[in-house]
Amino acid sequence: MYIPIEKIDLSVRPLKTKEELEKILLIEPEERLFYYKNPQKRMNIQNQEIRDDNVDILIQLIKIHRRKRQKAQISVGDTRWLKDAECYLFSEMSEVLEYDYLLRCAPYGGFGRES
């Protein structure tokens, strides 16, 4: 990991342990907690969870989006957010769980950025 010297005061969250991740992955998400009809509000909240580095909530949001995608088409914004969230989270999980993980990820990290 490279951190610019002027940003050195930023804190870096320690990786979750294998046991913590396994416990989080078993949680069933409650869709009603994350349901917003307004797409912009939904995207803002989802992006805030990324910035807050809340792995527990992020996993739940990914599960919800994947279920929605299986049932019906999801919006382009939600599709992009889901891919970015998976790249962000699964790369960390693969390190902890010692799995090889390869997914084409946006070079900029994606969140909150318009294409």
Side-chain angles (χ1 to χ4, degrees):
M1 171 186 285
Y2 294 101
I3 300 174
I5 291 182
E6 62 272 5
K7 303 285 184 180
I8 206 74
D9 63 329
L10 294 176
S11 62
V12 177
R13 175 184 56 78
L15 295 177
K16 296 279 186 187
T17 66
K18 183 176 181 177
E19 293 75 24
E20 288 172 325
L21 284 175
E22 288 171 347
K23 192 179 292 186
I24 293 169
L25 289 170
L26 293 175
I27 297 170
E28 281 301 313
E30 292 187 49
E31 289 191 42
R32 64 182 175 80
L33 297 177
F34 303 108
Y35 182 75
Y36 296 94
K37 283 187 177 182
N38 180 317
Q40 187 60 48
K41 183 174 182 177
R42 184 175 62 245
M43 202 58 63
N44 289 342
I45 289 169
Q46 291 172 168
N47 289 336
Q48 186 61 49
E49 293 302 335
I50 296 291
R51 287 188 292 275
D52 291 347
D53 206 14
N54 190 339
V55 175
D56 303 42
I57 298 297
L58 195 54
I59 288 173
Q60 304 317 304
L61 286 167
I62 289 171
K63 285 181 178 183
I64 289 169
H65 280 297
R66 286 178 155 216
R67 286 183 187 157
K68 286 181 181 177
R69 188 176 62 188
Q70 287 176 344
K71 294 177 185 175
Q73 182 116 7
I74 61 175
S75 72
V76 172
D78 284 340
T79 301
R80 186 179 307 132
W81 182 88
L82 178 60
K83 182 181 179 198
D84 288 345
E86 288 173 341
C87 286
Y88 173 79
L89 185 64
F90 293 172
S91 60
E92 174 181 333
M93 290 174 62
S94 67
E95 184 69 29
V96 173
L97 300 174
E98 298 177 359
Y99 288 120
D100 289 333
Y101 175 71
L102 179 63
L103 180 68
R104 288 189 177 167
C105 297
Y108 58 84
F111 298 105
R113 181 172 172 175
E114 297 296 319
S115 317

